[in-house]
Amino acid sequence: MSRNIQLDSNGKLHHFLSIEGLNRNLLTEILDTAEHFTSVGNQTAKKVPLLRGKTIANLFFEPSTRTRTTFDLAEKRLSADVLNININTSATTKGETLLDTLQNMVAMQIDMFVVRHAASGAAHFVAKNVPSHISVINAGDGRHAHPTQAMLDMFTIRRHKEDFTRLRVAIIGDVMHSRVARSQIHALNTLGCPEVRVIAPRTLIPSHVEDLGVHVTTNIEDGLNGVDVIIMLRLQNERMSGAHLPSKKEYFQYYGLTEERLQLAADDAIIMHPGPMNRGVEIDSAVADSGHSVILQQVTNGIAVRMAILSMAMQSQSGQGGEL
Amino acid sequence: MNILIQNGRIIDPANGIDQIGDLQVADGRIMENRDGFKADTTINATDKIVCPGLVDLRARLREPGQNHKGTIESETHAAACAGVTTICIPPDTSPIIDTPAVIELIRNRAKEAGYASIIPLGALTHGLDGEHLSNMGALKEAGCAGFSNAQPAVSNSLVMRRALEYAASHEMTVFLHSQDTWLSNGGCVHEGSVSTRLGLPGIPDAAEAAGVARDLVLIRETGVRAHFCGISSIRALQMIELAQKSGLLVSADVAIHHLYLTDMDIGDFNSLCHVLPPLRTERDRKGLVDGVLSSTIQAICSDHQPHDEDAKAAPFEQTEPGISSIETLLPLTLRLAKEHEISISDVISTITNRPAEILGIDTGTLGRGKRADITVFDPEEWWTVTADNLQSAGKNSPFLNWELQGKVAHTIMGGAVVHES
């Protein structure tokens, strides 16, 4: 494979498309930088001037509330000028291709694109088709990757658990269709986590997922035994009954996170969920609101982590001095 | 026009010939060598190989229907430059090849271009709808070499059975792209660790194996003569091998890129590697090469699918599948002889007489009196695949920047020199 297009010639982060191919130092640098930015949210004037004069376009080809809002906030707190563009698919089916859309945006002298798209590989495609001074941040592409979500999850884990190299982590639910799970798995492995378990019925486990570096179990009781971190995945409505699963009720019965099952995990286990949650389908309401849950912290942390990634990518850009 | 090809290494697998010598062509035919032959054109073939014009079992020329991707003129010209003199085309043109009129149109355009002869396959079902039989009798009379439903396969097994029965009644070969379309489920890459890593919808090899299994049962049931197109997985290949050993007369081909590329070559979403059936694993690739070496797979084809630039300029799963490959068919096929225990005559056989036999056409040999379709090439000459080098309108090749050995010097079709480098 050729050079990692995410890095500039000095090995600094230029695009953020996937966790895959980034090393532990770089991921740690993101987490450390995010740590620094958390204080910004606690100030009365929640702004730093790092990206003043820079223009960021949030190109959302797929609906999103949480991710788009936290990107928007992160960009504004860095003092960037922000353009929010929600391109519903009907506009693109009118004939404009992704490439056309991009070329128009490039003509508006944007410095950075944050892209969400329903097709896997869309962010890579964008990165390969914009002038090299523009950075591209992946805000979720198909089933492929959601690297900023994975980093905010790592940040949240690190705030509660000191050492990744001693952690046992369980990821429960629809791994097959989850870009979040793929990015989390890469991040956990890169950060040295020795045991990542994936728990789901075989219908929701993608082929050869073991090759990503996980253990697979179809039994939630076995899978939860002694884990320090429990990551729940969202189950899409359309997959709750049909060929993947018989019913919501049966899914909850065999794979729902209940108080009883939570007992199997370590005493100080934390529970995470990328949202939005289906209470009573993948997670018991009481468990979601329990002291183990760090789900709302994830949302708060999302802002600092995205600030870190945006500022790091923009730095590499200015470091290049537009020579490319 | 009389042509004398002098001092070449004549390889004619159909007749077991591999020797240095001369070849004489007159009146569009290969003649018995005689003294005093007066040549209008003399080709010095010293250190070159003289073989039958290549027969490409499957190539899309894009005309009629998608002339912005390629035309009969542009693609047959590319074929001539690549030493291909006969091209079999699947029926999925637009309009579809399900009436004699479309065949006539294609024939006329090929004749006007004058670079290669085109052998059409007729639609197995009307409009390729997978439900209604086509007018196979009329299509046969119009010159179809066989019938195919192209991709996707006929999913209704009853319709498939009837189509095979009806084709058998007309003593025609059926060309199958076997696949269980429920299992392939709109996927775009091989289902495995790469599809999981990239989050792309996968096509399990079980889809091909299940399709081949069903079709083998129906072939046995109906007694039709059948050929499996573009086998991509070792599981499907093993079933075909078993059927052949049990005495069933079925043949198979493989697209040349499946002998060289795997799903790993997709890397970070390289859409030039988006092809159907998908590139599979290294184990499959090796198995397919072994299948060629053991002659379970009789023919290698280009599965040429030229595209315009836009077709590949999108996120991977939204790009159009296919590779512009007719010009890399010969050099990549020759490379098998360098890399494996197989003679150059045997590899040439997979792109000349054997595909001709599958199509039931009287070409692919240098026999005396046969139509003079001849390719003269330098097996040692190196060249680099670049967009500029490719004559096809489609530059969509994953082999760009590969250095390949084997360059065509002369192509003769029906006794006329149609390419000279």
Side-chain angles (χ1 to χ4, degrees):
Chain A
M1 220 177 294
S2 55
R3 189 179 72 88
N4 188 340
I5 64 164
Q6 302 192 80
L7 305 178
D8 68 12
S9 48
N10 302 317
K12 294 281 183 192
L13 193 69
H14 178 50
H15 300 302
F16 193 59
L17 311 174
S18 165
I19 302 286
E20 200 189 351
L22 303 181
N23 64 29
R24 191 195 288 204
N25 285 345
L26 202 130
L27 298 192
T28 307
E29 189 188 340
I30 292 172
L31 298 179
D32 292 345
T33 312
E35 201 67 59
H36 166 77
F37 280 122
T38 48
S39 59
V40 176
N42 301 328
Q43 297 164 6
T44 40
K46 298 184 174 56
K47 255 188 199 269
V48 289
L50 275 172
L51 300 190
R52 186 182 289 154
K54 300 286 184 185
T55 312
I56 301 178
N58 297 323
L59 299 178
F60 277 63
F61 294 85
E62 201 185 54
S64 155
T65 312
R66 203 166 319 227
T67 303
R68 196 184 55 72
T69 326
T70 48
F71 262 111
D72 192 36
L73 271 178
E75 291 153 1
K76 285 174 176 157
R77 287 185 185 172
L78 289 167
S79 310
D81 295 317
V82 180
L83 211 54
N84 279 309
I85 300 165
N86 297 317
I87 303 151
N88 58 22
T89 36
S90 67
T92 46
T93 48
K94 276 180 195 158
E96 190 173 70
T97 64
L98 177 53
L99 200 56
D100 289 330
T101 310
L102 274 183
Q103 282 162 352
N104 278 287
M105 300 304 302
V106 169
M108 295 177 201
Q109 297 171 309
I110 307 286
D111 297 292
M112 183 182 276
F113 290 132
V114 175
V115 184
R116 168 172 287 202
H117 198 284
S120 299
H124 274 85
F125 176 75
V126 172
K128 286 173 191 164
N129 285 282
V130 294
S132 58
H133 65 272
I134 296 177
S135 288
V136 178
I137 309 294
N138 186 2
D141 64 325
R143 304 175 189 175
H144 171 237
H146 195 350
T148 61
Q149 174 72 42
M151 288 314 294
L152 75 87
D153 294 334
M154 296 308 112
F155 185 84
T156 308
I157 292 173
R158 198 172 76 161
R159 285 220 141 180
H160 291 270
K161 310 280 170 194
E162 277 171 16
D163 189 356
F164 280 101
T165 66
R166 290 159 185 266
L167 287 187
R168 277 182 282 196
V169 179
I171 300 174
I172 306 174
D174 185 3
V175 180
M176 180 178 285
H177 302 97
S178 175
R179 55 191 171 211
V180 175
R182 282 173 177 74
S183 288
Q184 287 167 335
I185 291 167
H186 285 306
L188 288 164
N189 281 320
T190 306
L191 290 168
C193 177
E195 193 175 343
V196 183
R197 303 177 194 168
V198 159
I199 307 167
R202 294 291 331 178
T203 48
L204 298 177
I205 294 177
S207 159
H208 291 72
V209 72
E210 296 86 352
D211 294 352
L212 295 180
V214 295
H215 302 274
V216 176
T217 172
T218 53
N219 181 303
I220 191 168
E221 278 83 15
D222 292 348
L224 282 175
N225 194 16
V227 295
D228 305 292
V229 178
I230 302 169
I231 299 176
M232 305 302 296
L233 298 174
R234 174 176 162 74
L235 189 63
Q236 302 284 346
N237 266 316
E238 63 268 27
R239 306 213 170 89
M240 289 178 194
S241 61
H244 286 287
L245 294 172
S247 64
K248 281 186 209 182
K249 186 164 168 259
E250 176 147 326
Y251 183 75
F252 185 68
Q253 188 183 340
Y254 289 95
Y255 293 97
L257 185 62
T258 58
E259 285 183 314
E260 196 184 4
R261 285 178 178 143
L262 183 56
Q263 301 298 318
L264 298 166
D267 293 341
D268 60 349
I270 57 168
I271 300 164
M272 302 170 65
H273 194 300
M277 267 188 293
N278 298 299
R279 290 170 183 260
V281 178
E282 61 232 5
I283 188 163
D284 192 89
S285 214
V287 174
D289 298 330
S290 73
H292 293 275
S293 166
V294 296
I295 295 168
L296 289 175
Q297 295 170 33
Q298 287 174 270
V299 180
T300 311
N301 295 340
I303 302 166
V305 168
R306 285 174 177 130
M307 285 172 80
I309 292 162
L310 292 165
S311 64
M312 284 169 66
M314 198 72 89
Q315 250 166 28
S316 100
Q317 199 175 66
S318 46
Q320 285 183 342
E323 69 194 349
L324 295 173
Chain B
M1 190 170 74
N2 289 359
I3 303 172
L4 174 64
I5 304 170
Q6 263 183 330
N7 199 34
R9 177 177 169 191
I10 298 170
I11 296 183
D12 180 12
N15 295 303
I17 292 170
D18 182 351
Q19 64 191 39
I20 308 284
D22 296 350
L23 209 59
Q24 297 177 0
V25 173
D27 301 325
R29 307 239 152 222
I30 295 166
M31 310 302 286
E32 198 71 55
N33 280 357
R34 57 186 169 86
D35 294 336
F37 178 77
K38 288 223 164 37
D40 305 306
T41 305
T42 301
I43 294 170
N44 179 2
T46 307
D47 295 331
K48 295 195 172 72
I49 288 175
V50 180
C51 75
L54 310 191
V55 179
D56 192 350
L57 208 42
R58 188 166 56 261
R60 264 104 175 160
L61 309 180
R62 301 306 191 193
E63 185 183 352
Q66 292 186 295
N67 296 34
H68 62 291
K69 292 182 188 290
T71 61
I72 287 175
E73 160 123 34
S74 72
E75 301 316 294
T76 54
H77 175 243
C81 296
V84 176
T85 53
T86 302
I87 303 167
C88 178
I89 61 168
D92 54 356
T93 47
S94 175
I96 286 164
I97 306 178
D98 59 2
T99 62
V102 182
I103 296 172
E104 201 182 318
L105 171 90
I106 292 168
R107 280 266 161 79
N108 287 340
R109 295 286 293 116
K111 207 170 281 174
E112 278 167 35
Y115 289 116
S117 43
I118 297 179
I119 306 287
L121 295 181
L124 188 65
T125 59
H126 188 75
L128 299 176
D129 68 0
E131 287 173 18
H132 306 87
L133 302 191
S134 66
N135 292 312
M136 292 188 215
L139 290 167
K140 178 186 178 184
E141 278 183 40
C144 285
F147 296 101
S148 162
N149 218 61
Q151 289 163 310
V154 175
S155 62
N156 183 322
S157 301
L158 180 61
V159 174
M160 192 59 179
R161 176 186 174 180
R162 298 291 181 234
L164 297 186
E165 286 170 339
Y166 193 72
S169 311
H170 284 282
E171 298 184 333
M172 291 293 275
T173 306
V174 174
F175 292 74
L176 301 162
H177 293 264
S178 299
Q179 177 147 211
D180 183 316
T181 51
W182 292 101
L183 284 175
S184 51
N185 195 27
C188 63
V189 293
H190 171 66
E191 181 182 296
S193 51
V194 172
S195 69
T196 290
R197 183 173 69 81
L198 296 177
L200 291 170
I203 302 173
D205 59 0
E208 185 171 277
V212 166
R214 178 198 73 171
D215 289 345
L216 280 171
V217 170
L218 294 177
I219 291 163
R220 213 180 277 277
E221 182 81 13
T222 59
V224 73
R225 196 165 60 223
H227 173 79
F228 288 99
C229 300
I231 292 301
S232 68
S233 69
I234 198 164
R235 289 175 77 181
L237 182 67
Q238 283 167 344
M239 277 189 241
I240 292 168
E241 187 175 16
L242 215 61
Q244 288 171 344
K245 282 188 175 152
S246 76
L248 197 66
L249 286 174
V250 290
S251 51
D253 73 61
V254 63
I256 185 69
H257 32 265
H258 279 105
L259 301 179
Y260 287 98
L261 304 175
T262 68
D263 59 352
M264 295 291 285
D265 290 295
I266 294 166
D268 278 331
F269 304 101
N270 180 0
S271 61
L272 294 176
C273 290
H274 182 190
V275 64
L276 292 179
L279 301 173
R280 297 195 187 271
T281 65
E282 178 62 11
R283 192 170 160 266
D284 291 298
R285 188 195 68 80
K286 281 189 175 147
L288 293 170
V289 170
D290 289 343
V292 171
L293 302 184
S294 68
S295 295
T296 306
I297 294 172
Q298 289 77 29
I300 300 173
C301 69
S302 72
D303 201 10
H304 179 64
Q305 295 180 50
H307 279 297
D308 55 317
E309 234 174 276
D310 286 352
K312 292 289 185 184
F316 190 95
E317 55 187 294
Q318 297 173 354
T319 58
E320 294 179 50
I323 293 174
S324 176
S325 51
I326 205 161
E327 290 162 85
T328 43
L329 175 63
L330 177 64
L332 287 172
T333 303
L334 292 173
R335 193 161 138 168
L336 291 174
K338 298 236 173 198
E339 292 179 352
H340 305 279
E341 296 275 314
I342 182 171
S343 72
I344 197 154
S345 175
D346 284 345
V347 295
I348 287 175
S349 179
T350 64
I351 48 175
T352 56
N353 61 309
R354 281 168 162 187
E357 281 159 22
I358 290 164
L359 289 168
I361 56 173
D362 193 20
T363 178
T365 93
L366 298 176
R368 302 302 177 248
K370 300 289 184 190
R371 195 177 74 168
D373 288 354
I374 304 164
T375 294
V376 181
F377 65 91
D378 183 337
E380 302 300 326
E381 188 178 339
W382 289 93
W383 63 288
T384 306
V385 185
T386 63
D388 286 345
N389 281 347
L390 294 179
Q391 300 301 310
S392 165
K395 311 299 181 187
N396 50 301
S397 169
F399 298 106
L400 289 177
N401 300 320
W402 280 45
E403 289 186 17
L404 300 176
Q405 226 175 348
K407 190 117 180 71
V408 175
H410 294 86
T411 306
I412 296 165
M413 198 268 295
V417 178
V418 292
H419 168 70
E420 194 173 354
S421 70

